[in-house]
């Protein structure tokens, strides 16, 4: 073979090799990605040929599919849409599976998950129409309803957990939206609805309970600081702390006052328990400096800060900041500076205290069933970490009971039920506006439900309202519904 022919043969061989490799790559490696792209019309129409699985709360559908007479054979419908929008998410021909369980469990609902292989095989053999799996949730409808009704039109979020198992009993984010507007087969109307939601400054598509812009936790973070103090072995509930009318931030001339300018103790020496009860800013700023940022970071991480979590929707990790100077460290002691949390994380802190110091992994899906209603997956409670010792948990519980009995959390009290809680009022920005928090659990001696509530100070009219005034009543409604389960 002469040189020109040999070179041509090598070029042809290289071209066939490239073609073979590219075809193999597209058909086997990129196949799933290409099929799942939002703009793949053929795949979308194929998806609409299957009965997408239902999402159930207490056996009742909050999302289901109805047959139609148009090209898209099934229409996704959402019952009580405003109440459950951030739990379900939406399923749209134009925008695909968005938010919530529609996105997180798309393969199960669509019937394409590997766990449904034998069901798909059976459907082919028997000629039965293909369908997806249904999801039975851990949500308690009464607790969810109580949170929605108590929050009303205010911006904010609420989470409830069973501290013994990690079951999510409620997950509410306000403002809400109507997923039916996005699942419609009138595609021009869908585009208009989606554009309006995206452009809405109130960000209704954001699930504030688990993500979005994280919140400063304010005085609810004092539970973490108190836990670190007790766990250090150097402090007990009756240990006296420095707690005057004001505290000068180290290295500055800036003074930190107590809320309302009140003294924490007549002698300016409140105990740790008294500091929690009256939410003493000055003593906790001082205590943070004594403990150091390593101890506070380690305790935060023991409660779950910084760790990825899927419930199955992804929860944005909460943050305890790095590289603090002494003044910044003092501010973290009252849940300010750059400490940031999700309401889910705040609920997990209360749940861990309620559960004797053990954090359970939160989860939202109780069971997955195939089209024959056979259970193919069932959730098992899983221990996530030991956040504090059982002794520390009991001491924190005692302090939190005093907050509700005699302190700032009295609006969360229930008749004949002992409630443990902690309020928080977290300033943000430069205007002095603040978010209102409450977290706690009940009954304190046999915890069945732990909650976290944030009410955003979203307008000037709401500025200055405290956690005890506006968040504690929401928590009270949720706790009341939860202890009657």
């Amino acid at each position: 073979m002469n040189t020109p022919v040999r070179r041509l043969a090598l070029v042809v061989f290289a071209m066939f090799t490239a073609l073979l490799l590219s075809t193999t790559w597209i058909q086997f490696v990129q196949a799933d990605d290409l099929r799942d792209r939002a703009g793949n019309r053929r795949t979308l129409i194929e998806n609409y040929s299957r009965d997408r699985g239902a999402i159930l709360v207490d056996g009742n559908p909050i999302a289901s599919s109805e047959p139609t007479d148009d090209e898209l054979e099934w229409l996704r419908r959402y019952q009580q849409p405003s109440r459950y929008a951030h739990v379900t998410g939406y399923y749209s021909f134009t925008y695909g599976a968005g938010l919530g369980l529609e996105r997180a469990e798309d393969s199960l609902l669509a019937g394409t998950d590997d766990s449904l292989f034998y069901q798909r095989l059976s459907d082919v053999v028997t000629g039965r129409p293909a369908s997806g799996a249904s999801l039975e949730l851990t949500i308690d409808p009464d607790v969810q309803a109580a949170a929605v009704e108590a929050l009303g039109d205010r911006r904010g979020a609420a989470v409830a957990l069973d501290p013994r198992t990690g079951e999510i009993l409620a997950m509410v984010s306000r403002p809400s939206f109507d997923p039916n507007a996005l699942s419609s087969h009138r595609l021009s109307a869908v585009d208009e609805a989606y554009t309006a939601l995206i452009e809405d400054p109130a960000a209704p598509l954001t699930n504030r309970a688990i993500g979005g812009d994280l919140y400063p936790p304010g005085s609810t973070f004092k539970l973490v600081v108190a836990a670190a103090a007790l766990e250090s072995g150097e402090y007990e509930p009756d240990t006296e702390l420095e707690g005057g009318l004001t505290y000068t931030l180290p290295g500055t001339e800036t003074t930190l006052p107590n809320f309302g300018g009140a003294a924490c103790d007549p002698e300016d020496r409140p105990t740790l328990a008294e500091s929690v009860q009256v939410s003493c800013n000055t003593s906790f700023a001082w205590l943070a400096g004594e403990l150091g940022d390593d101890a506070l970071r380690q305790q935060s991480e023991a409660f779950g800060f910084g760790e990825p979590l899927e419930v199955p929707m992804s929860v944005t990790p909460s943050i305890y900041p790095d590289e603090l100077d002494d003044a910044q460290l003092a501010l973290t002691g009252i849940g300010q500076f750059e400490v940031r949390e999700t309401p889910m994380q705040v609920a997990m802190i209360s749940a861990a205290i309620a559960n004797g110091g053990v954090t359970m992994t939160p989860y939202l899906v109780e069971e997955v069933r195939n089209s024959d209603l056979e259970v193919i997956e069932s959730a098992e409670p899983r221990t996530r970490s030991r956040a504090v010792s059982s002794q520390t948990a009991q001491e924190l519980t005692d302090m939190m009971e005093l907050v509700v009995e005699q302190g700032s959390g009295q609006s969360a009290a229930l008749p004949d039920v002992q409630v443990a809680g902690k309020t928080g009022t977290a300033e943000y920005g430069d205007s002095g506006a603040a978010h209102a928090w409450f977290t706690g659990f009940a009954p304190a001696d046999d915890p069945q439900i732990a909650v976290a509530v944030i009410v955003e100070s979203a307008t000037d009219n709401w500025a200055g309202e405290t956690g005890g005034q506006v968040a504690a009543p929401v928590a009270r409604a949720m706790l009341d519904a939860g202890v009657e389960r």
Side-chain angles (χ1 to χ4, degrees):
M1 183 181 295
N2 61 34
T3 300
V5 173
R6 184 167 56 251
R7 288 176 178 172
L8 178 60
L10 289 173
V11 170
V12 172
F13 177 77
M15 292 174 65
F16 272 108
T17 302
L19 178 62
L20 178 64
L21 290 174
S22 63
T23 303
T24 302
W25 182 266
I26 291 171
Q27 290 184 338
F28 293 95
V29 179
Q30 289 187 312
D32 290 342
D33 179 63
L34 293 172
R35 185 181 62 248
D36 294 340
R37 285 187 179 180
N40 190 335
R41 181 177 177 85
R42 185 171 65 180
T43 298
L44 288 171
I45 292 176
E46 179 186 347
N47 289 341
Y48 274 86
S49 69
R50 292 190 296 270
D51 180 4
R52 190 171 177 85
I55 301 174
L56 309 167
V57 169
D58 199 24
N60 299 308
I62 59 173
S64 57
S65 297
E66 298 177 356
T68 71
D69 295 326
D70 57 40
E71 181 185 27
L72 305 179
E73 298 177 29
W74 295 91
L75 174 65
R76 198 65 167 165
R77 294 300 248 170
Y78 298 91
Q79 294 75 34
Q80 304 180 74
S82 177
R83 181 172 297 182
Y84 290 106
H86 294 94
V87 173
T88 62
Y90 59 85
Y91 188 72
S92 166
F93 181 81
T94 306
Y95 300 103
L99 307 179
L101 291 167
E102 295 281 25
R103 175 184 289 176
E105 300 287 27
D106 180 40
S107 64
L108 285 169
L109 293 167
T112 60
D113 194 80
D114 289 345
S115 64
L116 298 170
F117 172 77
Y118 291 107
Q119 175 186 308
R120 293 197 298 272
L121 186 61
S122 174
D123 291 344
V124 171
V125 171
T126 61
R128 181 173 54 183
S131 61
S134 62
L135 310 178
E136 180 69 45
L137 307 188
T138 59
I139 294 288
D140 183 299
D142 294 330
V143 180
Q144 183 86 1
V148 169
E149 291 165 10
L151 273 171
D153 294 331
R154 292 195 142 174
R155 298 183 195 176
V159 173
L161 302 173
D162 186 326
R164 303 161 296 187
T165 62
E167 293 171 277
I168 298 173
L169 305 178
M171 180 189 292
V172 174
S173 179
R174 311 304 282 179
S176 189
F177 66 99
D178 185 355
N180 291 301
L182 302 178
S183 69
S184 169
H185 292 181
R186 295 176 57 243
L187 302 187
S188 60
V190 170
D191 285 339
E192 291 178 6
Y194 186 77
T195 299
L197 289 169
I198 289 295
E199 294 178 351
D200 189 335
L205 291 178
T206 298
N207 188 343
R208 289 162 158 84
I210 60 174
D213 295 330
L214 304 189
Y215 297 103
S219 292
T220 61
F221 190 72
K222 291 172 182 173
L223 294 174
V224 177
V225 181
L230 294 169
E231 288 288 284
S232 73
E234 298 179 7
Y235 297 87
E236 296 181 357
D238 59 357
T239 300
E240 292 184 344
L241 311 178
E242 297 287 343
L245 279 172
T246 61
Y247 175 79
T248 301
L249 297 177
T252 76
E253 297 181 358
T254 303
T255 57
L256 175 70
N258 291 312
F259 186 81
C264 301
D265 178 77
E267 304 297 327
D268 292 341
R269 298 283 297 176
T271 66
L272 178 59
E274 290 170 339
S275 295
V276 172
Q277 177 184 337
V278 301
S279 201
C280 185
N281 286 343
T282 57
S283 61
F284 270 97
W286 173 85
L287 181 58
E290 295 297 301
L291 292 170
D293 61 341
D294 286 344
L296 295 182
R297 185 174 298 103
Q298 290 170 11
Q299 187 60 68
S300 299
E301 291 172 354
F303 279 114
F305 277 60
E307 294 185 10
L309 174 65
E310 294 184 351
V311 296
M313 297 93 85
S314 294
V315 180
T316 305
S318 296
I319 300 168
Y320 185 84
D322 295 317
E323 299 180 2
L324 301 172
D325 63 30
D326 291 342
Q328 293 165 346
L329 173 59
L331 288 173
T332 69
I334 61 170
Q336 296 285 176
F337 185 54
E338 293 180 1
V339 182
R340 294 292 183 270
E341 291 190 60
T342 60
M344 175 64 74
Q345 177 63 75
V346 176
M348 289 172 63
I349 292 171
S350 280
I353 296 169
N355 196 40
V358 176
T359 302
M360 304 301 289
T361 299
Y363 62 97
L364 185 58
V365 179
E366 183 69 37
E367 290 181 342
V368 180
R369 302 190 187 102
N370 63 19
S371 58
D372 294 324
L373 301 182
E374 297 172 340
V375 176
I376 59 174
E377 291 182 25
S378 184
E380 294 283 345
R382 291 187 294 118
T383 299
R384 188 171 177 85
S385 66
R386 173 163 281 283
V388 293
S389 68
S390 57
Q391 178 179 339
T392 294
Q394 185 57 58
E395 290 169 344
L396 290 169
T397 297
D398 294 340
M399 297 179 196
M400 294 170 71
E401 287 184 61
L402 290 174
V403 171
V404 178
E405 289 177 1
Q406 305 172 23
S408 57
Q410 294 181 52
S411 294
L414 293 172
D416 303 320
V417 176
Q418 199 70 27
V419 176
K422 183 71 189 77
T423 60
T425 306
E427 293 186 6
Y428 67 94
D430 299 323
S431 65
H435 301 313
W437 283 97
F438 184 89
T439 186
F441 53 90
D445 58 350
D446 182 24
Q448 300 168 26
I449 177 173
V451 303
V453 176
I454 184 167
V455 178
E456 292 184 13
S457 179
T459 73
D460 292 339
N461 292 332
W462 299 350
E465 294 178 325
T466 67
Q469 291 172 326
V470 295
V474 178
R476 180 185 187 279
M478 296 171 67
L479 292 169
D480 191 27
V483 297
E484 295 179 355
R485 289 189 297 134

